[in-house]
Amino acid sequence: MSVKSVVVRELNRMVSRRIYVMAVVVIPILSYVFFLTMFADGLPTELPVAVIDNDNTALSRNLIRQMDALQMTHISEHLNGFEEAEREMKKGNIYAFVIIPANLQADVMADKQPELTFYYNNAYFIPGSLLFKDLSLMCSMSSAAVGLSTGLAKGKSVMEIMGQLQPIRIDTHLIGNPYTNYSVYLSNVLMPGVLQLMLLLITVFSIGVELKEKTSKTWMKVADNSMLTAIAGKLLPYTFIFMTLIVFQNVILFRVLGFPLHDNIFTMLIASVLFVLATQAMGVFIIGLLPVLRNGMSFAAVFGILGVSYSGFTFPVEQMPLGVQSLAQAFPMHHFFKIYQNSALNGAPITYYWSSYLA
């Protein structure tokens, strides 16, 4: 008897139940297709916005056309009042609405300061934030355009006008993700997050079901009563499959889709292999700590879901309470994302993330 005998036994168990095929192959591949399709555009575009035009002049209509021309904004409705716009937002038909005041053009011509108001729904964080950015930019550009036209009419040069409109020019550079592609950081967390969850569950299930069905003695007999042989043989098929999946993920993201990679791809491949092994080790620890299948599966599910939250991709772990920061170190997902962030996105030297490899 050897590790090979345990592997053969586990392969026979895998093909005997559909749950193994679903958890190990079907769900991970479907998650790849789902996330890569959902974030195919990289950035949400044509988000529906309503307009309440109380001025209805050439200036207001031009302003509406310019807003509609923005990449993320689509003027989908022209409404009559605040209450109607509020109802449409509550229904989810629009993410924001803009109120153009009466006498906008007249006030501009009279050198007054008309007020353009917009409301956005930040309950939908990403659409709300993107529309806030777009509409704020539109207001600034409109103000600059009006100032430029007024200055030219008064006989000033463009250089003089721009010096007053924008005394300090801001030169900004997005590092790591210059295209503001949401898929760049979402896919690289959510896809391995699903793999982590499935790997935790299948590790706990494959060991826990032996205890539940009282077949653990047979399992240990095949392994010559060696715990190391028993665990290694049982986990090897899953290790191979999940390593293949996560390597495939890296090739798709970094080589086919061209996601930012400011370091060697082998840095991410090594991190991916260690991520699979660490997740399996955590699964073994969970079922060892809670040797009842139901309890182990429940804890593994919670741990897997929390792993995505504690990775730091939505909120920096460094800004969390000290106790939470310490707890985050127990999640393989946290260390995987730290390596991805420092290596692939920022191209930082290994001194910034060697501890995550060690963890």
Side-chain angles (χ1 to χ4, degrees):
M1 299 295 182
S2 63
V3 172
K4 181 179 177 181
S5 302
V6 183
V7 170
V8 171
R9 178 179 180 273
E10 190 62 27
L11 288 173
N12 290 329
R13 291 174 65 85
M14 285 175 64
V15 297
S16 67
R17 295 189 180 188
R18 284 181 294 179
I19 188 173
Y20 287 97
V21 179
M22 290 293 295
V24 175
V25 179
V26 177
I27 293 177
I29 291 177
L30 285 179
S31 72
Y32 282 6
V33 174
F34 174 75
F35 289 123
L36 293 177
T37 303
M38 184 170 67
F39 301 124
D41 293 332
L43 195 68
T45 57
E46 298 292 309
L47 298 169
V49 176
V51 169
I52 302 171
D53 188 358
N54 294 321
D55 192 41
N56 198 26
T57 59
L59 178 60
S60 68
R61 289 191 292 271
N62 181 55
L63 186 62
I64 292 170
R65 284 195 297 270
Q66 291 181 39
M67 282 191 284
D68 197 34
L70 294 170
Q71 180 185 9
M72 281 165 266
T73 304
H74 169 58
I75 305 300
S76 60
E77 298 184 58
H78 291 260
L79 305 177
N80 297 318
F82 179 88
E83 292 77 12
E84 186 181 0
E86 189 178 27
R87 283 196 301 270
E88 291 298 302
M89 182 178 285
K90 287 179 178 178
K91 291 178 183 176
N93 294 333
I94 58 174
Y95 291 110
F97 60 91
V98 182
I99 300 177
I100 299 176
N103 303 318
L104 173 71
Q105 182 168 298
D107 287 346
V108 167
M109 299 302 293
D111 283 338
K112 294 181 180 179
Q113 195 176 33
E115 187 176 271
L116 194 69
T117 308
F118 60 88
Y119 297 82
Y120 63 99
N121 189 352
N122 215 29
Y124 301 101
F125 181 72
I126 291 177
S129 300
L130 291 176
L131 286 174
F132 174 76
K133 176 184 174 184
D134 253 20
L135 294 173
S136 298
L137 176 63
M138 188 69 250
C139 290
S140 300
M141 291 174 63
S142 299
S143 299
V146 170
L148 182 61
S149 300
T150 304
L152 290 172
K154 293 179 179 179
K156 294 183 179 180
S157 68
V158 174
M159 291 291 291
E160 288 179 293
I161 299 167
M162 292 308 296
Q164 294 175 351
L165 293 177
Q166 192 179 28
I168 300 175
R169 181 182 297 174
I170 300 173
D171 185 19
T172 59
H173 299 270
L174 289 172
I175 299 175
N177 186 10
Y179 309 107
T180 321
N181 186 330
Y182 280 80
S183 187
V184 164
Y185 68 86
L186 289 177
S187 296
N188 275 287
V189 174
L190 296 178
M191 288 166 63
V194 173
L195 283 186
Q196 173 192 243
L197 180 60
M198 291 298 102
L199 188 50
L200 278 170
L201 291 174
I202 201 65
T203 301
V204 170
F205 178 82
S206 62
I207 297 174
V209 76
E210 299 270 15
L211 303 174
K212 180 182 178 181
E213 297 179 351
K214 304 187 187 309
T215 57
S216 53
K217 289 184 178 180
T218 305
W219 171 32
M220 292 302 297
K221 184 178 180 181
V222 174
D224 285 335
N225 291 317
S226 167
M227 182 60 72
L228 182 62
T229 302
I231 293 293
K234 178 169 282 292
L235 297 185
L236 268 177
Y238 308 110
T239 305
F240 175 78
I241 293 170
F242 278 92
M243 280 187 179
T244 302
L245 286 170
I246 204 164
V247 167
F248 175 72
Q249 170 197 304
N250 281 278
V251 172
I252 290 293
L253 295 180
F254 297 121
R255 288 291 182 253
V256 178
L257 298 180
F259 279 22
L261 180 63
H262 297 107
D263 203 343
N264 196 301
I265 192 172
F266 289 105
T267 305
M268 287 306 302
L269 291 177
I270 293 170
S272 299
V273 168
L274 292 177
F275 173 67
V276 170
L277 295 175
T279 302
Q280 284 186 301
M282 189 58 69
V284 173
F285 175 75
I286 289 171
I287 191 61
L289 186 68
L290 302 168
V292 176
L293 182 59
R294 180 180 59 186
N295 296 341
M297 292 287 286
S298 299
F299 188 85
V302 172
F303 187 89
I305 294 169
L306 287 177
V308 177
S309 301
Y310 280 107
S311 66
F313 90 108
T314 54
F315 191 85
V317 174
E318 293 77 13
Q319 300 302 316
M320 295 180 182
L322 188 60
V324 177
Q325 292 184 40
S326 302
L327 182 62
Q329 307 306 314
F331 293 88
M333 194 73 221
H334 166 68
H335 299 286
F336 179 79
F337 182 69
K338 187 175 179 180
I339 294 171
Y340 166 68
Q341 190 179 40
N342 284 282
S343 174
L345 286 184
N346 298 330
I350 196 170
T351 51
Y352 284 87
Y353 52 89
W354 66 267
S355 59
S356 290
Y357 276 123
L358 184 61

